Amino acid sequence: NYIEKGRDRLDVTRELYLIDPETVLVEPQQSGERLIASYKVRVRGGQIVPLSAEDVIATRIFNPKNPWRGFSPVAAIRREISGDIHAALYNLSLLVNGGRQGGIIAPSEGDTLGEPEEERLVRQIEQRNMGPANAGRLLLLPAGFKFFPDGMNNKDMDYLQGRKFAREVVSAVTGAAPMMINNFDSATYANSEQQLKAFWDYVGKPLLKKLFGSLNEHWIHDEYGEEISLAPD
């Protein structure tokens, strides 16, 4: 995360502005005196706004391949998040199509369609048989053609199990307890208190310690001295 300091005319920080990490370009220090030389932020319209290292509070998770940018926990679960999104979109598309699986229209041996006839057949099927309003309508094919429905369905594809697995991977990386995401397959109200305690001990407190450490290092100690520090309550 990156936070920009909002200074007044006396150069005292009065406000803090969150910056979208995707818009931040990091300029490393070439001399090696400090890790970061400056930042550049890409704002709306593509304009680049320079920011000095003293005007930015950076909270990074160490990344051995790029210590200037850090490492996002979401990077480890990007595939699971994308897969779950596509699974939800697939299910939505299935409902929009009237709950029907796809299929293949195949001609009998020796029967063929010219390009105009093929395009006309496709248009007729789209107009008469696609969408929730047309669910269940009779499909009329030209003589010599047969329709073979797709044999795969949500049960065969382990659709629900796949979504549950993605949910478990995402919660494992983020540290979210099962009861926090309403997953009561392996959680009950009886152990909810222990789950919340484990979340704070292993996730909440370390994240707050890292955040407040960055605020102290890049803001409070620079402007007010090391005898004053911020600490979470």
Side-chain angles (χ1 to χ4, degrees), residues 150-212:
D150 191 346
M152 295 291 290
N153 53 41
N154 286 354
K155 183 178 180 180
D156 296 331
M157 293 186 296
D158 279 339
Y159 176 83
L160 292 178
Q161 291 299 326
R163 298 208 65 183
K164 286 183 178 181
F165 177 75
R167 178 189 63 188
E168 292 174 358
V169 171
V170 171
S171 61
V173 173
T174 58
M179 57 86 55
M180 298 178 66
I181 57 174
N182 292 325
N183 177 14
F184 291 102
D185 293 341
S186 57
T188 64
Y189 287 107
N191 59 21
S192 60
E193 184 176 351
Q194 292 299 321
Q195 291 186 39
L196 286 176
K197 184 178 184 301
F199 173 79
W200 275 108
D201 287 344
Y202 299 112
V203 180
K205 291 179 180 178
L207 287 177
L208 286 175
K209 184 177 180 181
K210 177 175 274 300
L211 173 61
F212 278 80

Side-chain angles (χ1 to χ4, degrees), residues 84-96:
D84 190 62
I85 292 174
H86 281 81
L89 291 175
Y90 169 81
N91 197 44
L92 176 62
S93 298
L94 187 63
L95 294 175
V96 170

